[in-house]
Amino acid sequence: MKLFRYLQYIFLLSVLGISIIILYLWNIEKDLPDHNISQYFPNEITKIYDEKYELMYHVGNRDRFYLDYEDIPKNMINAIISAEDKTFFQHKGFDIKGIASAFVINLKNIYSKNNNNYVGASTITQQLVKNILLNRDQTISRKIKELILSLRIERDYSKEFIIELYLNEIYFGRRSYGIASASFNYFNKSIFDLDIHEYAYLAALPKGPNNYDPKKNYNKALDRRNYVLKQMELNKFITLDQFNYYSNLKIELYQRDVKKYKSDYKTDFILNYLNSNSFNENAFYIQSTIDQKLQKISEKSLIDNLALFEKKYKSWVGSYKNLEEILKFKNDYWHIAKVINKNSKFIELLIIDSNKVIRLNNEYNLYGPNKLTPTDYLNLDEYLFVTNIENSFYAVQIHEINGSVIIMDPFNGDIIAMVGGVNYNISNFNRVTQAYRQPGSSIKPFIYAQALETKNFLPNTKILDSNILLDQGNNLPVWVPKNYSNKSHGELTFRRALETSNNLVTLKIGLDLGINSVNEFLDKINFYDNQIAEDVYSTLLGAVENNLINIAKSYSIFLNGGYLVEPSIIKKVVSNEGELIINNEYFKCNYCSFSIDDRSYRLPKISSQKEKVISPQTSFQILNILEGAIERGTGKSLNKIDYPIAGKTGTTNESKDLWFFGLTPRYVIGVYVGYDTPKSIGYRETGSSVALPIFKTIIENYLLYNKNTNDKFILPSDLIVKKVNKDDGEISDGQNTIIDYFTKEQLEILDDINKIESIGGIN
């Protein structure tokens, strides 16, 4: 009787237990996600490269390149199977033998205390499920869900697809998701170029990337890598000789430059371009036009020159009491230093990042209007920024003034470097594209170019530099413009007036052309980027606001033979599926492609897709006059540089906005300087005194790694060389002459003028 009762209890308990299990499994089943992984595609991130395919920036936190199964190296598959799931190609989603074996091995390792390589019991399929369909909760329900989903995935998908997804999904450390990005981030190599021991190291990482970082624990990392190699040898993927060889090799990892992953002005500009053009792909591979050497030169040139310039006007406030405070303002080019010794003659500093001790030169480091020495404005144990310029150290502080630099290829519009300000971390407002300011005298070459195009003016035409009165209309005062020097210089040649940036002569030329005509020409060359200039006299002296990128683009016409170019920072954009989305081409080719069925062959014709706005002859004549501005005009502080340079300064009223545009055989280099809230930069400061030195530093550093260049400006056909007296413009072989260039038509006009003057003299 008792036995029967016990059996009843057992039966009831069994029914209850089974019911609970069924109910539990039913609840789990109800909460299971869809196991359809065919549509799953791991999110990749947009990657921006420079012109040489060096990675500049990652957009997002996860670094990933997706590889199809057939593209994954066999040794990588063998390594990961050996490390994680040696029966992967045999089991159906879970491995009973593997679980039992792992349990026994781990017990032995625990008791032996000689081996830290613990073996996991989860299959690759289970790990994939945990990564993409479930969370990482250490609960029984999650493990049951994992098992059920693994069985279903194994039933519906091939082993090849499962391991493909796994190797593209799992985290390897160093922000690397998937083997392709891990290969790059750990070894700076393509996944296809790794050796067997490197595949083994990558396969060792999914268990815990931080645990096997050689910097933190080299022996542990080496032990784990060699464990994977041993498993590969046991699984017959490599020979014993290979194991012995590879297990004795050191782990040598690539030291990444993490700075390249920081957003800055140029990467913002690229991403804004993509957003504004409504690209909705998951990820892109972008080859930019940026030359990183010139980019870094430009960044350092801007922040160093402006910091040194501010010493004239700004008192020292650049000391910090602790390291934490100064780190908020750190940039890539200045060093943090600590004052460690001070006496009446010198200051000693400890450079924090190099542990180097330096002395500050008093003469180089006079600061503020009162020219205080470092011993006056620095105290013991304070922190400050210093910059190294030609092996001399200068105390510098965070800028109040700001500025920007752009370097463009004038022949295709490629942006070679873009510096939108002195510190992106403090302000990401891009002063290359977003700061609209008065261009001042930098507008003048375009007025002179139009004057040559009309044939009413020649390079040696004489114009009287004298005062003029301009009626501005009802209720407005009469405008009496002045030259910067407040002096008039009598008759000047057309060339000399532009070389010296003469205001009054420029106004007279502009008035002769007509303000409407000048504005039509500026519109033709897209000077204001589709904005309409006002029909006011001050337009002729650059009173209508513009930005650095538009003006630099317009200066390209003087280098490329008179063609419009559009600035571009992108060469190619490829989607994550390999589709070429953007490919900037500047030439059109007719008859370049033909088939065997074509009736006849026609010679290919290649033509520029750019619009010509001035003649090549006018283009070169203005360029040559701007060379004269460097030799003997507003840019003469550059005339000792042994390299072809033409240039134009720009200065506005009260010196609020200062510019310099330097033209070389390869580049247009534009520099802008001004306060974000406009105010005078300094008494009688000019583009020559503030913006030009930034250009000078850029070009000098550029020439350091381009020493043997034979660059020259391109001389178009149909120009005739003449010697001209630089003061009166007369064609002469006498003293005081310079080389000038004329078209045949201009010389004929000159002959006609001389004949008329000669006849007038006889009468």
Side-chain angles (χ1 to χ4, degrees), residues 354-582:
S354 64
N355 217 30
K356 178 182 178 182
V357 176
I358 64 164
R359 284 189 181 183
L360 279 186
N361 181 302
N362 277 337
E363 183 185 349
Y364 293 164
N365 287 282
L366 300 176
Y367 222 99
N370 296 325
K371 299 191 183 319
L372 299 178
T373 66
T375 54
D376 294 319
Y377 60 80
L378 293 177
N379 298 308
L380 276 174
D381 297 327
E382 287 181 339
Y383 292 88
L384 69 150
F385 288 113
V386 295
T387 187
N388 187 346
I389 302 174
E390 296 180 355
N391 297 318
S392 294
F393 284 92
Y394 296 80
V396 286
Q397 60 180 330
I398 299 302
H399 311 77
E400 288 181 11
I401 201 167
N402 224 307
S404 54
V405 175
I406 189 168
I407 302 180
M408 278 182 57
D409 184 325
F411 301 99
N412 57 23
D414 283 355
I415 296 171
I416 308 302
M418 173 185 280
V419 189
V422 293
N423 194 317
Y424 176 84
N425 295 325
I426 294 174
S427 167
N428 56 25
F429 179 76
N430 190 337
R431 293 153 193 85
V432 172
T433 60
Q434 295 174 295
Y436 281 81
R437 299 298 179 85
Q438 293 182 359
S441 301
S442 59
I443 198 175
K444 291 175 181 175
F446 304 100
I447 296 170
Y448 283 69
Q450 187 196 4
L452 289 178
E453 287 283 284
T454 63
K455 302 181 178 60
N456 293 330
F457 292 87
L458 310 177
N460 63 339
T461 297
K462 287 179 279 190
I463 306 148
L464 183 62
D465 172 18
S466 61
N467 289 333
I468 53 177
L469 304 178
L470 296 171
D471 182 4
Q472 300 186 88
N474 294 335
N475 301 320
L476 291 172
V478 172
W479 183 32
V480 186
K482 299 286 185 182
N483 287 323
Y484 180 76
S485 63
N486 274 331
K487 296 178 182 177
S488 296
H489 301 87
E491 271 195 332
L492 292 177
T493 64
F494 182 92
R495 164 185 279 277
R496 187 64 183 155
L498 181 53
E499 287 179 352
T500 57
S501 196
N502 187 284
N503 287 341
L504 296 176
V505 171
T506 302
L507 280 169
K508 288 186 175 183
I509 292 172
L511 292 171
D512 187 84
L513 296 170
I515 295 178
N516 287 339
S517 175
V518 170
N519 284 337
E520 285 174 6
F521 179 75
L522 294 175
D523 184 54
K524 178 183 177 182
I525 66 172
N526 203 15
F527 183 77
Y528 287 110
D529 194 23
N530 299 319
Q531 298 178 72
I532 299 173
E534 298 178 45
D535 290 335
V536 293
Y537 296 126
S538 56
T539 299
L540 301 173
L541 297 182
V544 180
E545 293 179 342
N546 206 345
N547 64 9
L548 184 63
I549 194 170
N550 285 338
I551 305 173
K553 166 198 71 179
S554 298
Y555 267 92
S556 295
I557 66 176
F558 303 130
L559 284 166
N560 65 23
Y563 289 93
L564 282 183
V565 294
E566 280 304 312
S568 173
I569 200 167
I570 293 174
K571 281 189 176 179
K572 291 180 182 177
V573 177
V574 179
S575 74
N576 56 16
E577 296 177 347
E579 179 187 359
L580 184 63
I581 296 173
I582 294 175

Side-chain angles (χ1 to χ4, degrees), residues 612-677:
K612 184 186 284 187
V613 289
I614 59 174
S615 71
Q617 290 74 30
T618 295
S619 166
F620 184 83
Q621 285 175 318
I622 294 295
L623 178 67
N624 184 252
I625 293 173
L626 295 180
E627 274 193 279
I630 301 300
E631 291 172 21
R632 55 192 163 267
T634 55
K636 60 187 176 184
S637 60
L638 296 170
N639 61 17
K640 291 183 180 178
I641 297 176
D642 186 20
Y643 188 67
I645 299 173
K648 183 70 190 76
T649 54
T651 305
T652 63
N653 287 339
E654 301 178 33
S655 300
K656 288 182 178 179
D657 301 300
L658 304 178
W659 311 77
F660 184 75
F661 292 90
L663 312 182
T664 76
R666 292 174 183 255
Y667 304 120
V668 173
I669 302 177
V671 179
Y672 160 74
V673 176
Y675 287 100
D676 286 344
T677 301

Side-chain angles (χ1 to χ4, degrees), residues 71-84:
D71 295 325
I72 300 171
K74 188 66 176 174
N75 278 322
M76 185 69 245
I77 294 172
N78 292 340
I80 203 74
I81 288 173
S82 299
E84 297 292 326

Side-chain angles (χ1 to χ4, degrees), residues 217-280:
N217 193 328
Y218 182 84
N219 290 334
K220 190 174 183 180
L222 185 67
D223 187 32
R224 176 68 183 170
R225 187 217 49 194
N226 288 350
Y227 165 79
V228 177
L229 285 170
K230 186 61 182 175
Q231 295 305 306
M232 292 179 74
E233 187 263 321
L234 292 174
N235 292 336
K236 309 296 183 187
F237 294 138
I238 61 174
T239 65
L240 181 59
D241 286 342
Q242 284 178 308
F243 168 74
N244 290 331
Y245 171 74
Y246 287 120
S247 61
N248 282 299
L249 295 180
K250 290 182 179 179
I251 299 175
E252 295 180 352
L253 302 184
Y254 169 64
Q255 299 303 313
R256 296 182 308 158
D257 179 6
V258 295
K259 292 176 184 175
K260 70 174 62 175
Y261 299 113
K262 293 180 181 178
S263 180
D264 58 17
Y265 298 106
K266 62 184 183 298
T267 56
D268 275 3
F269 186 69
I270 292 169
L271 295 174
N272 288 337
Y273 174 84
L274 293 178
N275 291 335
S276 64
N277 285 274
S278 302
F279 291 119
N280 298 315

